Each structure stands twice: as C-alpha cells, then as structure tokens.
C-alpha cells in the first residue's frame, strides 16, 4: 500500500515538474540570443530530464510491477495504449532537442561557442509537446477509471 501510494505521488509530481520544465525551456529558447541565455535552457532541460525519468520509472512500475491493476488491465485498455502512443510522439519530438543540447553542452565544456540558430525550431518542438502531455493526462484519468 505504501509503495503504491509513493509511486502514485511520484508519478503526479513528475507531471508538475515536467509541465513547468517544458514551459520554462520554451521561454528560455525563445529568448535565447547568445550563450548567456544557455544556462536557463540547460536548467529547464535538466528538470525535464528529471520528470521524464520519474515518469518512465514510476509509470512502468505501476503498469507492470503488479502494484496497481495488473499488466492485463493496461495492455487491453485503449486509453492506456493511446497514452503510450502520445508518449512515443513526445519522445520523437524530443529527439532533435536532446541531440542538440548534448552537442551544445559538450561544445560549451570545450570552450567553443555553439551555433544557436536552431533555437526557434527547438522552441517550436518544445511547445508542441505541451498539448500532447495534457492529452496524456486526459487519457490517464480515463484509464484509471476503467475507460
Ligand atoms: C512510460 C510512461 C508512462 C507509463 C507507463 C504510465 C503509466 C501509468 C499508470 C500505470 C498509471 C496508474 C493508473 C491507475 O490508477 O490505474 C498512471 C497514472 C497517471 N499517469 Fe502515467 N504513465 C506514464 C507517463 C505519464 C506521463 C508522461 C504523464 C503526464 C503527461 C502521465 C500522467 C498520469 C496521470 C495524471 C495519472 C493519474 C491518473 C488518475 O489517477 O487519475 N503519465 N500512469
């Protein structure tokens, strides 16, 4: 019971952290003019990473670790499968930003100035993720109630 509650709380906290981080990263990318703005981008991106890890670990544990309704319930739930489909789209949208931030971070560490010209595209990709995450919440609420 304690584990079940803890996982549910952590899963919901990931939502709070994740939505804030996506919004923050979008704003930081839109304001990015030179490398002085990179700290804000990396800061928001770090929190998004924390949220993603929490979502994946607690979500998979709840779905397949036998702490909630059992794998059969979720694997036959249309709303769960839709939620996972939306998550895959979010991950695909995240590929380009992820690869670019890894490159920017590594260039900054080596004392080089990264090319920031893709910031507007990365901002757009980031904000496209927001409605998908909100839709995931709708699917999650429905799936938890037997839809
Ligand atoms: C690998 C990714 C994920 C998996 C496997 C997963 C799985 C689950 C599971 C098994 C539950 C419990 C449902 C129940 O009570 O029967 C749940 C609840 C929930 N999930 Fe996820 N989840 C994932 C990612 C996400 C993401 C990215 C979001 C938000 C955008 C999210 C939002 C929610 C919410 C809000 C609930 C609570 C629903 C409620 O009790 O009303 N999940 N999730």
């Amino acid at each position: 019971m304690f584990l079940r509650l803890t996982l549910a709380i952590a899963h919901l906290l990931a939502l709070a952290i994740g939505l804030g981080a996506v919004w923050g990263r979008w704003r930081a990318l839109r304001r990015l003019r030179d490398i002085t703005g990179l700290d804000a981008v990396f800061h928001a991106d770090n929190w998004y990473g924390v949220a993603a890890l929490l979502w994946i670990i607690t979500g998979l544990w709840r779905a397949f670790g036998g702490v909630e309704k059992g794998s059969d319930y979720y694997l036959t739930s249309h709303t769960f499968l839709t939620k996972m489909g939306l998550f895959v789209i979010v991950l695909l949208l995240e590929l380009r930003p992820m690869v670019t931030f890894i490159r920017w971070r590594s260039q900054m560490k080596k004392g080089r100035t990264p090319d920031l010209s893709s910031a507007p595209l990365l901002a757009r990709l980031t904000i496209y993720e927001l409605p998908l995450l909100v839709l995931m919440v709708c699917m999650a609420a429905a799936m938890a109630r037997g839809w």
Side-chain angles (χ1 to χ4, degrees), residues 4 11-12 15 19 55-64 68-69 73-74 80 83-84 87 132-134 136-137 140-145:
R4 187 176 174 207
H11 202 67
L12 286 179
L15 179 61
L19 291 184
W55 265 326
I56 293 171
I57 294 169
T58 58
L60 291 177
W61 200 336
R62 295 179 83 191
F64 306 113
E68 291 283 352
K69 304 177 175 80
Y73 174 87
Y74 296 112
F80 177 77
K83 182 180 159 183
M84 288 303 100
F87 195 57
L132 297 173
L133 292 173
V134 172
M136 285 186 73
V137 174
M143 106 192 153
R145 281 150 195 85

Side-chain angles (χ1 to χ4, degrees), residues 91-109:
L91 290 179
L92 290 175
L93 286 173
E94 195 50 25
L95 282 180
R96 176 87 190 258
M98 193 176 65
V99 170
T100 309
F101 296 145
I102 290 173
R103 197 174 53 239
W104 286 359
R105 284 175 200 265
S106 133
Q107 288 170 333
M108 288 294 287
K109 270 199 194 118

